[in-house]
Amino acid sequence: MAEVKNKEARIGVFVCHCGTNIAGTIDIEAVKEYAKTIPNVVVADNYAYMCSTPGQNKIADAIKEQNLTGVVVAACTPRLHEPTFRNATAAGGLNPFRFEMANIRDQNSWVHMHQPVEATEKAKDAIRIAVAKASLLEDLVPKSVPVEKTAMVVGGGVGGMQAALDLANAGIKTYLVEKSPTIGGRMSQLDKTFPTLDCSQCILTPKMVDVYRNENIELLTYTEVEAVEGYIGNFDVTLRKKARGVLTPKEAEARGIVGGGCTGCGDCANVCPVIKPNPFELGMAPRKAIYIYHPQVSPLIYTVDFDACVKCGLCVEACGEKKAVDLEAQDEFMTVKVGTAILALGYDIYPIEKKFEWGYKNFDNVITSLEFERLICASGPTGGHLVRPSDGETPKKIAFVLCAGSRDNTDTGKPYCSRFCCMYSLKHAHQIIEKIPGAVPYIFYMDIRSFGKMYEEFYYRIQNEGAKFIRGRVANITEDPVTKNLHVNAEDTLLGRPIDMEVDMVVLAAAIQPSAETEKTRRLFGVSCSQDGWLLEAHPKLNPCGTTTAGVYLAGVCQGPKDIPDTVAQAEGAASAASIPIHRGEVELEPYFAQCIEEKCAGCGMCVYQCPYQALSLVEKDGRTVMQVTEAKCKGCGTCGGFCPGGAIWMQHFATPQIVAQIDAFLLGGEQ
Amino acid sequence: MADENWKPKIIAIICNWCSYAGADLAGGARIQYPPDIRAVRVMCTGRIDPLFILKAFQDGADGVLVSGCHFGDCHYLEGNYKAAKRMFLLKSVLKNIGLDDKRLRMTFVSASEGAKWGMVMSDVVKTINELGPSPLKEFAR
Ligand SMILES: Cc1cc2nc3c(=O)[nH]c(=O)nc-3n(C[C@H](O)[C@H](O)[C@H](O)COP(=O)(O)OP(=O)(O)OC[C@H]3O[C@@H](n4cnc5c(N)ncnc54)[C@H](O)[C@@H]3O)c2cc1C
Ligand code: SF4
Ligand code: SF4
Ligand code: FES
């Protein structure tokens, strides 16, 4: 707690043009001249791009020449360039925390583009406010903390698997947490993948095996995150291992069952009397109360659905000496320490029945694209024969409705583009032409977005194969009650005429949305989301894998719709980002800690209850009760400092005198 | 008292993680709003001592905006709940000293709500313009 030495402050002010971003609206010269008149300012300068090397050099040089005690840069936003200018400040030999930024771009020139006079006045005020704070800033030293050499990936789809493999192969022990009984995610439900048309399972299964076999990966399926505490380098994550009712060979061994545990033989499921729809097959095929989703699951361990199980015990008998089934299993909790974490939570299909005008769930032969994937897949419920749910007949005339619920600003739709529906619908069109002689796909589209490498070429190919394209949004679909055929009503916007087309089947390329537990999980990790619920990256262009919570990164669709190549690329980026702190071995935490001003502290202890992190306690000191801060626990929110009735808490970098000086500087024009 | 040239003086104390980021996003999207508000950044709305706000009014502020994360989204779990409670109590204090409590406003704007930030800005300026200069202004120094 340095003494406040306002009178001795020597501040340098640097005004950035940001090309014309700022200078196009704000009168830089006037602002600079004004800055020179602000108390404590000894030098004011301007430059086209303060963040460039010459701009940064100006700061360092001025610090040395003018013996500055503080630096103010009026430019973009501290959320972009505070680290840059802190470095420049340090390069001049000053403590980097003696830097303060005035935001005159993002919160000024860009939002008052047509009011140059007012914007210029606002910039002057912003600089005066920043100078007031800079005059009172003190030297601070970031706290270095060691980083736990383990990582966690939440979500075991293709994104999470890739991230976990990369981390593990970089030598980092990684926990891969997946809520369902198997890894694989949505990709394992797909038949083929655009634009190369390789078989999805064929390219995914080897990866699933790699994950299972990798010594550095601890695979925790059927497991959910319950609580997260701590900060970058030192997260304590509490996991709930849901009762699976079946022991792995390892678990069996731990219980002294020699040579026991599930081998995946399926004898249990053969005898289980309870039949339920299999969610992996979207309810189009049955499973037992003791089940696996599909033969390629990883790990190959059965799971008991305790909501369905009638506890008849037949499976226990069938399992015999392996003694793998434990019908008394309970949820287990475990807490692990990790240095960094990646969220790869994926997506769900939007409940497209909300668009009642298309009749999904009312009309038998209206299906979703994901259902199409299962029906056309050789390992799916129909052995790869696309059939009409109403009568088992092979459809010949099939309508594909693109942007079903996507790019839709009504209450029942999603405003964004789901990004892979155009491409997979082209793939579906190809598949029916290839598999069903004489079949014709009719694609109702708004625009075909084939933006990726070899995607446009794929589009041409499907056009040439004979798919029919109709540009127009489908208004409604009706069903012929006798034939169960469907009438698709749309407007062909290229020909400008209405269409009523009778088809055998309709496939809705339904919008996607964040997966069911995304909201809960992101809150545990303190990650923000955009209005649509997709997780928010730290910067849309410059930091698309990071989040505003240090040490937490994003991969795959949970950050926004993307196809498999983009998911894998982002996962590799996230893994690389998450490995950096671990390889460095330590991270610096911003030293915005609370401190007790013991002379003022009355020892009332009311602040202790304000802190969400239990960082405060009361101690006896020189015969008096005073508050004490445990710096390692304090995250610097300032909630205690906003509360202490005696003003006895000094919030480093956001101290009461500093904030009051900002308020006074604005309202009283800098005079005290 | 209504001066021809009166322009409202409004201060916004906003949290780093949500509202400040939302305000930056409004900039990126070039959303235009009235230029009468000056922002002071704190890490969390929980940092905001009610005395800061009283000080602002004492200094002659016509309005004060406190803006943070949505409930459940606070970067520090619950700072915004505590801030909301404090602002609620503070409003009754303002009434007692003869200030219209509409001069103090708390809003919740997330990092992705640039458009909402623009709306909040316009709305706060409109409210304060309707209320006119703060009656405490003449005592300010
Ligand atoms: C019909 C259809 C066809 C497609 N065809 C193609 C194609 O041909 N080519 C292509 O490139 N892309 C295609 N895609 C897109 C592809 O499915 C995605 O790009 C890919 O699955 C994204 O992977 P992911 O890991 O981000 O998410 P997901 O595959 O959704 O995986 C997320 C995983 O995280 C788990 N999880 C979620 N929340 C939690 C939690 N809170 N805790 C623990 N675990 C959790 C889930 O159970 C799941 O296993 C298609 C999509 C659809 C709908
Ligand atoms: S005990 Fe449960 S899981 Fe096992 S066979 Fe009976 S119903 Fe199926
Ligand atoms: S600043 Fe926040 S985290 Fe630190 S002691 Fe105070 S209340 Fe706790
Ligand atoms: S961090 Fe935004 S209100 Fe707490």
Side-chain angles (χ1 to χ4, degrees):
Chain A
M1 259 165 288
E3 272 293 294
V4 168
K5 293 183 189 131
N6 193 1
K7 297 257 153 41
E8 292 162 26
R10 296 174 61 81
I11 308 296
V13 176
F14 303 86
V15 188
C16 182
H17 302 205
C18 194
T20 55
N21 279 301
I22 296 170
T25 304
I26 290 171
D27 182 342
I28 303 280
E29 204 50 40
V31 167
K32 181 177 84 176
E33 288 310 314
Y34 171 76
K36 290 181 180 164
T37 69
I38 301 172
N40 294 342
V41 173
V42 293
V43 55
D45 203 350
N46 61 301
Y47 191 67
Y49 294 100
M50 279 307 299
C51 55
S52 67
T53 309
Q56 293 192 48
N57 288 344
K58 267 180 188 288
I59 297 172
D61 293 346
I63 292 173
K64 290 178 200 145
E65 284 160 19
Q66 300 285 339
N67 207 8
L68 300 181
T69 63
V71 171
V72 168
V73 175
C76 45
T77 161
R79 294 180 60 259
L80 185 64
H81 271 323
E82 189 173 64
T84 314
F85 295 125
R86 277 189 178 163
N87 285 341
T89 304
L94 208 56
N95 181 285
F97 292 91
R98 288 179 170 271
F99 164 75
E100 178 69 13
M101 195 144 178
N103 185 327
I104 62 166
R105 190 189 74 177
D106 300 48
Q107 297 183 23
N108 189 338
S109 65
W110 277 354
V111 289
H112 312 306
M113 295 174 84
H114 314 298
Q115 290 166 283
V117 177
E118 290 83 355
T120 302
E121 287 313 304
K122 182 170 168 179
K124 290 177 183 174
D125 285 352
I127 292 173
R128 196 168 70 237
I129 293 169
V131 168
K133 178 155 180 192
S135 301
L136 298 179
L137 287 174
E138 42 176 6
D139 288 359
L140 294 176
V141 184
K143 203 182 172 69
S144 249
V145 293
V147 176
E148 190 68 32
K149 296 207 172 301
T150 50
M152 175 174 287
V153 177
V154 187
V158 64
M161 282 162 49
Q162 184 65 48
L165 280 170
D166 282 11
L167 286 164
N169 290 336
I172 296 165
K173 159 142 193 165
T174 304
Y175 297 96
L176 176 55
V177 178
E178 165 60 51
K179 68 176 177 187
S180 71
T182 174
I183 51 173
R186 295 280 167 214
M187 189 176 166
S188 53
Q189 290 177 294
L190 308 181
D191 179 34
K192 293 192 168 148
T193 54
F194 62 76
T196 46
L197 299 174
D198 7 31
C199 141
S200 190
Q201 281 284 8
C202 313
I203 54 177
L204 190 67
T205 310
K207 242 191 217 309
M208 290 166 64
V209 174
D210 283 353
V211 168
Y212 184 64
R213 292 226 181 105
N214 196 302
E215 286 187 342
N216 275 334
I217 296 180
E218 184 163 338
L219 180 56
L220 298 161
T221 50
Y222 215 45
T223 300
E224 283 172 15
V225 177
E226 277 290 309
V228 182
E229 275 175 35
Y231 45 88
I232 181 170
N234 299 278
F235 291 107
D236 288 306
V237 185
T238 304
L239 302 169
R240 174 202 291 267
K241 291 185 75 178
K242 292 180 279 186
R244 186 165 202 150
V246 178
L247 301 175
T248 65
K250 242 197 212 160
E251 287 164 344
E253 204 182 300
R255 293 199 186 178
I257 309 168
V258 184
C262 183
T263 60
C265 67
D267 290 348
C268 53
N270 283 339
V271 297
C272 176
V274 181
I275 295 180
K276 285 270 150 187
N278 183 355
F280 179 81
E281 300 291 2
L282 308 166
M284 296 183 294
R287 66 154 164 83
K288 298 294 183 66
I290 187 162
Y291 67 98
I292 51 172
Y293 274 174
H294 58 89
Q296 285 85 20
V297 291
S298 179
L300 180 51
I301 302 290
Y302 276 70
T303 303
V304 177
D305 173 355
F306 281 107
D307 290 335
C309 171
V310 294
K311 303 230 167 167
C312 63
L314 288 173
C315 54
V316 180
E317 234 169 82
C319 191
E321 282 312 295
K322 297 189 290 296
K323 292 191 179 152
V325 184
D326 171 11
L327 295 177
E328 301 309 315
Q330 297 288 323
D331 289 2
E332 285 170 25
F333 293 86
M334 60 191 275
T335 300
V336 297
K337 234 188 193 339
V338 296
T340 55
I342 295 175
L343 304 185
L345 309 176
Y347 66 98
D348 283 343
I349 304 292
Y350 176 70
I352 197 65
E353 59 273 22
K354 287 194 187 169
K355 305 246 41 129
F356 63 90
E357 60 270 32
W358 295 329
Y360 179 65
K361 287 206 171 156
N362 271 335
F363 305 153
D364 290 347
N365 296 327
V366 176
I367 64 170
T368 66
S369 298
L370 199 56
E371 287 166 340
F372 181 94
E373 293 279 350
R374 294 315 302 151
L375 290 173
I376 203 84
C377 181
S379 63
T382 55
H385 299 289
L386 182 67
V387 291
R388 298 190 348 141
S390 67
D391 51 17
E393 292 292 319
T394 304
K396 285 281 164 83
K397 199 171 173 186
I398 304 176
F400 290 87
V401 179
L402 271 56
C403 299
S406 302
R407 304 171 71 197
D408 177 338
N409 281 316
T410 65
D411 288 348
T412 50
K414 298 286 178 187
Y416 48 83
C417 165
S418 294
R419 222 157 162 255
F420 37 64
C421 332
C422 283
M423 287 303 296
Y424 70 57
S425 296
L426 293 175
K427 169 183 77 178
H428 293 167
H430 163 84
Q431 284 172 301
I432 60 166
I433 293 171
E434 187 184 60
K435 275 201 166 176
I436 307 172
V440 185
Y442 291 86
I443 298 179
F444 290 83
Y445 71 103
M446 299 218 284
D447 311 277
I448 295 290
R449 297 186 164 175
S450 50
F451 50 87
K453 189 173 177 181
M454 298 304 285
Y455 287 15
E456 187 70 7
E457 292 86 335
F458 187 69
Y459 177 24
Y460 289 141
R461 173 174 163 192
I462 308 309
Q463 279 176 333
N464 290 332
E465 284 177 358
K468 304 271 183 267
F469 291 81
I470 299 144
R471 186 168 174 275
R473 189 159 226 165
V474 172
N476 65 49
I477 294 170
T478 53
E479 185 189 55
D480 182 323
V482 181
T483 62
K484 298 281 176 184
N485 285 350
L486 302 154
H487 286 266
V488 179
N489 296 301
E491 187 197 338
D492 185 329
T493 55
L494 291 181
L495 298 177
R497 61 166 195 221
I499 296 184
D500 173 356
M501 183 187 287
E502 187 177 343
V503 296
D504 303 331
M505 181 179 245
V506 171
V507 183
L508 301 175
I512 59 166
Q513 63 185 20
S515 59
E517 265 135 77
T518 300
E519 181 66 13
K520 176 184 155 213
T521 309
R522 77 159 180 93
R523 289 204 161 168
L524 293 175
F525 281 94
V527 170
S528 310
C529 67
S530 63
Q531 264 149 307
D532 312 317
W534 303 112
L535 303 186
L536 200 65
E537 62 283 349
H539 190 282
K541 289 146 208 160
L542 303 178
N543 196 350
C545 300
T547 68
T548 49
T549 300
V552 182
Y553 309 87
L554 305 175
V557 177
C558 64
Q559 182 257 334
K562 55 179 73 64
D563 56 15
I564 296 164
D566 287 0
T567 294
V568 172
Q570 192 184 24
E572 302 212 273
S576 147
S579 70
I580 293 171
I582 292 178
H583 284 314
R584 284 185 60 172
E586 57 173 32
V587 283
E588 292 193 333
L589 301 183
E590 290 196 292
Y592 301 159
F593 311 117
Q595 302 279 320
C596 178
I597 308 173
E598 285 173 9
E599 310 85 82
K600 290 193 183 171
C601 178
C604 67
M606 282 157 82
C607 57
V608 173
Y609 302 102
Q610 292 289 309
C611 178
Y613 304 105
Q614 290 84 42
L616 306 181
S617 53
L618 290 182
V619 291
E620 293 298 318
K621 225 175 185 180
D622 308 326
R624 237 156 51 82
T625 307
V626 290
M627 179 273 273
Q628 191 180 49
V629 183
T630 308
E631 274 187 12
K633 288 187 178 173
C634 173
K635 292 203 179 188
C637 63
T639 303
C640 55
F643 180 78
C644 175
I649 298 177
W650 181 270
M651 283 310 307
Q652 297 191 156
H653 213 67
F654 291 91
T656 299
Q658 295 166 349
I659 295 173
V660 169
Q662 287 176 290
I663 296 169
D664 288 345
F666 167 40
L667 294 161
L668 304 177
E671 307 298 324
Q672 289 258 354
Chain B
M1 197 192 334
D3 178 345
E4 287 276 297
N5 300 318
W6 174 76
K7 282 231 171 258
K9 281 198 163 219
I10 305 168
I11 190 160
I13 311 183
I14 61 184
C15 88
N16 180 63
W17 301 102
C18 287
S19 290
Y20 198 91
D24 280 350
L25 187 70
R30 307 296 192 276
I31 288 162
Q32 304 295 302
Y33 57 76
D36 306 280
I37 301 181
R38 308 292 181 258
V40 166
R41 180 173 68 115
V42 289
M43 293 313 277
C44 174
T45 54
R47 172 67 189 101
I48 302 172
D49 188 327
L51 290 175
F52 298 166
I53 290 155
L54 291 173
K55 185 74 174 85
F57 282 120
Q58 193 189 1
D59 285 356
D62 299 303
V64 176
L65 169 68
V66 165
S67 191
C69 312
H70 289 278
F71 288 139
D73 268 356
C74 171
H75 198 68
Y76 309 95
L77 313 175
E78 49 197 44
N80 51 359
Y81 286 102
K82 305 224 164 91
K85 257 195 212 160
R86 292 173 196 163
M87 296 314 127
F88 182 74
L89 292 175
L90 196 55
K91 274 179 170 272
S92 56
V93 175
L94 294 185
K95 273 193 234 162
N96 280 336
I97 57 174
L99 269 184
D100 193 316
D101 68 352
K102 287 201 286 293
R103 291 186 186 276
L104 170 63
R105 173 118 172 241
M106 181 162 188
T107 60
F108 307 92
V109 177
S110 82
S112 65
E113 294 176 327
K116 181 170 174 194
W117 179 254
M119 267 147 53
V120 165
M121 292 286 97
S122 304
D123 204 54
V124 167
V125 172
K126 183 168 163 261
T127 307
I128 302 301
N129 271 327
E130 280 165 11
L131 290 171
S134 160
L136 298 186
K137 221 176 191 70
E138 49 186 319
F139 306 109
R141 60 132 279 117

